[in-house]
Amino acid sequence: MSLKVGVFIVIEGIDGAGKTLHSKNLCLQLHRKGYLARYTAEPSGNVIGRLLRREFLNRRKAPPEVETLLFAADRFQHLRQEVMPTLRRGGIVVSDRYIYASIAYQGAQKVDIGWIRCVNNFAPKPDLAIYLDVPAEVAMSRIRRGRSVMERLEFEKRVREIYLKLVKDGELTYIDGDRPVEDVDKDIFNIAIETITKKHIAGT
Ligand code: TMP
């Protein structure tokens, strides 16, 4: 079923928070209810996204400002090629990460958050942006890649602090991700349906 207007949903979290699993599960549940839902992710599968995954992410060897600009370029392409066409068809987009990841990850590397927002000012505000919260220690026990465990743990703690600040400021909606998968899925689904219904009624 396509809606009169598309709905843009974003799921954020630190590495290992389970956002990919829950984003995909949300799409499955929406399909079951008859909605047209599309899973997308940042970094995307387009040229800059692939470059970011291949060249930079594991060792973080580029200056964080350069990462910020590359993530913004990838976001522009992701929006133009994947998000907007689906929204225009009245579909629901579930994006695994968005601008909040740049604020949290590049912000944690001391890039000025005002500047991050500025270079991303083309990016529309989503209808719903969820922050899936898991303590950094729990998330790190789920993944072990790249840099030393201690260094990575400290970094993800800083990233989490920034995400929690965005929750406090009302930009992100908090969901406790440190619970059984089905419980987390249920909460995400309920809040997504609430958002879809509200937008559908408003018809905006
Ligand atoms: P993933 O684990 O969700 O595939 O994301 C890969 C990494 O990209 C993850 O460590 C977070 C990072 N990232 C940023 O640093 N800034 C961004 O803007 C985005 C979208 C991702």
Side-chain angles (χ1 to χ4, degrees):
M1 150 181 45
S2 66
L3 300 162
K4 253 194 301 186
V5 282
V7 179
F8 185 20
I9 298 173
V10 169
I11 303 193
E12 293 275 357
I14 62 172
D15 293 333
K19 61 191 174 34
T20 303
L21 171 74
H22 291 293
S23 305
K24 290 185 172 168
N25 285 352
L26 174 61
C27 281
L28 271 177
Q29 293 184 85
L30 291 171
H31 283 155
R32 281 199 204 110
K33 290 276 169 200
Y35 291 106
L36 169 73
R38 174 173 186 178
Y39 168 85
T40 67
E42 290 187 8
S44 77
N46 297 308
V47 61
I48 309 284
R50 292 204 309 274
L51 176 82
L52 275 161
R53 284 193 193 280
R54 212 174 45 232
E55 301 291 330
F56 298 120
L57 285 178
N58 278 338
R59 281 159 292 151
R60 297 217 177 261
K61 62 185 182 191
E65 289 78 7
V66 173
E67 279 184 9
T68 305
L69 294 168
L70 288 173
F71 278 114
D74 180 51
R75 186 159 299 123
F76 189 92
Q77 200 168 5
H78 174 230
L79 281 164
R80 175 159 296 178
Q81 293 184 350
E82 300 173 50
V83 178
M84 291 310 179
T86 304
L87 295 181
R88 272 198 294 273
R89 290 207 308 274
I92 300 164
V93 174
V94 178
S95 179
D96 181 341
R97 297 197 187 281
Y98 192 50
I99 178 179
Y100 312 100
S102 288
I103 295 173
Y105 280 83
Q106 278 62 57
Q109 293 169 82
K110 304 224 164 22
V111 180
D112 179 73
I113 289 180
W115 183 74
I116 299 174
R117 289 189 191 275
C118 178
V119 297
N120 281 279
N121 76 355
F122 58 85
K125 189 172 175 302
D127 297 294
L128 172 66
I130 288 172
Y131 170 60
L132 196 58
D133 186 44
V134 166
E137 289 79 359
V138 174
M140 285 303 97
S141 69
R142 295 178 182 171
I143 49 158
R144 290 268 154 87
R145 65 178 187 219
R147 295 165 296 162
S148 84
V149 175
M150 276 319 287
E151 191 191 335
R152 183 77 188 265
L153 181 63
E154 287 316 308
F155 178 63
E156 296 287 347
K157 279 185 179 171
R158 289 205 301 279
V159 173
R160 180 172 182 246
E161 285 310 309
I162 299 177
Y163 273 131
L164 288 173
K165 169 90 170 47
L166 295 174
V167 169
K168 197 157 157 257
D169 294 345
E171 282 196 70
L172 295 174
T173 300
Y174 183 92
I175 298 258
D176 180 0
D178 193 14
R179 292 177 297 152
V181 172
E182 311 75 58
D183 295 357
V184 177
D185 277 343
K186 206 160 119 203
D187 284 0
I188 294 178
F189 179 69
N190 287 340
I191 186 167
I193 288 291
E194 203 181 295
T195 304
I196 293 164
T197 310
K198 264 194 208 146
K199 189 144 188 212
H200 192 47
I201 290 169
T204 52

